[in-house]
Amino acid sequence: MTQTPTRKLIIAIDGPAGVGKSTIAARLARKLGYANLESGAMYRALALKAIEWDTGFDDEAALMRLAGNSRIQLEPSLSGNRVLLDDRDVTARVRETDVTEGASRVSIHPKVRQWMVARQQEMGAGGGIVMEGRDIGTKVFPHADVKIFLDADPVVREQRRLEQIKARGSPAVLPSATLAAELRERDHRDRTRAASPLEAAPDAVVIDSSKLSEEEVLCRAEELVQQRLSAEQHLSS
Ligand code: DC
């Protein structure tokens, strides 16, 4: 019997801010030899362009004109994505507070989302990717091979986000109360927006990581991928 080459899967990881999606996506992708794609970085890049071009976050038509004239690229790497806006490296800049707030606001617009989803579908079409975001399992790849919805208690997420910012050595660390308030506001906007609100796809596996270590979450994610790969092998043998 000939061994069928393993198909390269599409793995969707969704969940709220500060839950550790990027870390898990990067580590899982590394283990599988896949590319990790941080879809949120694309909303961040558009928000940065809006700031630079003095375009209001609430002006959907103007944002769409900006998007049409922008080149937003994600370059997967072992530690995360390098973000390029019009061929300029904006990886660090898009993590700053004003861009974070802007990304949350530009992402409520249906047309902006449509534009992003189409780009993201192109990027992942060939498989062999772990894409993380808010709507990957519901809208970008509703037929993803593995869907994980990573969740955690808001207090735990606030703590993780604070540690992440400190680890990055950001010069302007916000007081933790401000950070917590911002995280809650973004959460609220993500979950209540009319277009593709943050929610688990009906067929996603929900992992509550509040009491799990990074290793434990990674292990669970790997198990799900292995189950899927084994099911494929059975079908093709
Ligand atoms: O994951 P992140 O924090 O970099 O995302 C930035 C913002 O973009 C976040 O407020 C929600 C939005 N986003 C989205 O609406 N859909 C995605 N697939 C990814 C991010």
Side-chain angles (χ1 to χ4, degrees):
M1 187 178 62
T2 50
Q3 185 81 20
T4 323
T6 316
R7 189 169 62 86
K8 292 202 155 210
L9 306 182
I10 293 180
I11 300 170
I13 303 186
D14 289 302
V19 77
K21 297 186 298 292
S22 304
T23 314
I24 294 299
R27 291 191 62 187
L28 187 61
R30 199 181 316 159
K31 288 214 162 192
L32 295 166
Y34 285 9
N36 60 315
L37 293 166
E38 299 170 1
S39 65
M42 297 178 69
Y43 290 93
R44 287 173 181 271
L46 181 61
L48 173 59
K49 184 120 173 187
I51 292 170
E52 291 176 347
W53 286 73
D54 210 11
T55 300
F57 297 137
D58 303 323
D59 187 343
E60 185 174 29
L63 288 171
M64 285 308 293
R65 281 194 295 278
L66 269 191
N69 288 312
S70 303
R71 206 165 121 87
I72 297 174
Q73 291 164 285
L74 301 182
E75 285 185 356
S77 83
L78 291 183
S79 54
N81 283 183
R82 187 163 168 254
V83 188
L84 300 177
L85 173 61
D86 301 324
D87 301 319
R88 197 160 38 100
D89 188 335
V90 293
T91 311
R93 177 68 182 99
V94 295
R95 297 287 151 197
E96 289 176 19
T97 315
D98 56 339
V99 181
T100 300
E101 151 86 8
S104 169
R105 290 177 55 190
V106 304
S107 70
I108 68 165
H109 300 297
K111 286 189 180 137
V112 169
R113 301 201 66 82
Q114 250 176 27
W115 188 88
M116 292 288 176
V117 167
R119 303 281 91 68
Q120 290 155 5
Q121 287 171 335
E122 281 165 20
M123 291 163 85
I129 56 143
V130 182
M131 192 177 283
E132 57 104 340
R134 306 289 191 286
D135 60 346
I136 311 305
T138 51
K139 288 283 184 301
V140 181
F141 292 114
H143 303 297
D145 300 288
V146 177
K147 293 186 189 179
I148 296 171
F149 190 89
L150 203 53
D151 211 347
D153 187 276
V155 177
V156 173
R157 289 190 284 117
E158 283 156 25
Q159 193 54 39
R160 284 185 191 158
R161 182 43 55 96
L162 196 65
E163 280 160 17
Q164 196 183 40
I165 290 176
K166 278 188 192 151
R168 240 186 247 140
S170 288
V173 176
L174 292 170
S176 56
T178 314
L179 197 87
E182 282 186 1
L183 198 82
R184 275 189 213 133
E185 193 185 324
R186 282 213 291 149
D187 255 7
H188 180 73
R189 208 179 279 131
D190 283 352
R191 290 183 200 268
T192 57
R193 67 180 171 227
S196 318
L198 169 69
E199 59 188 357
D203 53 346
V205 175
V206 179
I207 303 179
D208 185 336
S209 71
S210 307
K211 296 196 174 109
L212 300 179
S213 68
E214 194 179 303
E215 292 304 322
E216 286 170 322
V217 176
L218 184 65
C219 209
R220 181 81 189 99
E222 277 188 282
E223 266 169 31
L224 294 170
V225 173
Q226 284 313 323
Q227 277 168 13
R228 178 64 203 220
L229 289 170
S230 308
E232 298 247 333
Q233 295 267 319
H234 274 304
L235 282 175
S236 61
S237 59

